[in-house]
Amino acid sequence: MEKIWNELYKKASEALGNIKISEYIEAGSVAAAIESQNGNIYVGVCLDTACSLGVCAERNAVFNIITNKEYKVKRILVLDSNNKLLIPCGVCREFFAQLMPNNYQDIEIMVDLEKEEAIRMGELLPNVWFK
């Protein structure tokens, strides 16, 4: 397996942690580590709010990428609080498609570290509404 997947797993795992921010917001039950096209790793955690205005860990990680003036995603690894791998939800898939409309399909997503199995975003979202 490529070393980068282990690095992404380690970074996502380190970011996990159920944090109660207020009586209305909790964070960290899901963490994502994303490798940018430039080879940098960015991490984000989910924010769960009482009024449903939270954000997924994947998009939070992308906000970090954009804050650092990068715009392309190469690989994604997402963990829940039990260190179980997840795949991006529909909202996140749409977000990645709009972020990288010409090549979102190529983003790799780790689905099974033991079997070294990754899929591409195009398998999860083969068609988009805007093309």
Side-chain angles (χ1 to χ4, degrees):
M1 175 182 355
E2 291 183 61
K3 180 182 172 188
I4 187 65
W5 289 115
N6 290 324
E7 291 178 40
L8 292 169
Y9 182 88
K10 181 178 184 272
K11 295 283 188 184
S13 184
E14 290 171 351
L16 282 171
N18 292 316
I19 304 161
K20 186 168 178 92
I21 296 171
S22 75
E23 62 185 292
Y24 305 107
I25 299 177
E26 294 180 359
S29 64
V30 174
I34 296 180
E35 179 191 11
S36 71
Q37 278 303 111
N38 294 338
N40 297 311
I41 296 175
Y42 298 92
V43 177
V45 297
C46 68
L47 296 171
D48 297 312
T49 67
C51 64
S52 302
L53 292 177
V55 64
C56 295
E58 300 94 305
R59 285 181 286 142
N60 192 349
V62 171
F63 301 156
N64 284 323
I65 290 172
I66 293 169
T67 299
N68 286 281
K69 302 194 176 14
E70 293 194 62
Y71 311 100
K72 304 287 185 190
V73 172
K74 186 173 182 180
R75 293 183 178 96
I76 302 170
L77 186 142
V78 186
L79 292 177
D80 70 9
S81 59
N82 296 313
N83 284 323
K84 178 184 172 201
L85 289 167
L86 303 174
I87 59 173
C89 71
V91 172
C92 288
R93 295 173 199 186
E94 177 68 24
F95 183 82
F96 286 110
Q98 291 185 42
L99 179 70
M100 299 171 45
N102 296 318
N103 55 358
Y104 76 91
Q105 303 93 334
D106 298 329
I107 297 170
E108 293 179 69
I109 303 160
M110 179 51 68
V111 294
D112 191 322
L113 276 172
E114 289 180 14
K115 294 180 182 177
E116 300 181 15
E117 180 184 352
I119 60 174
R120 297 200 182 268
M121 186 69 73
E123 295 175 62
L124 298 176
L125 186 64
N127 300 300
V128 290
W129 60 271
F130 53 83
K131 286 189 176 192

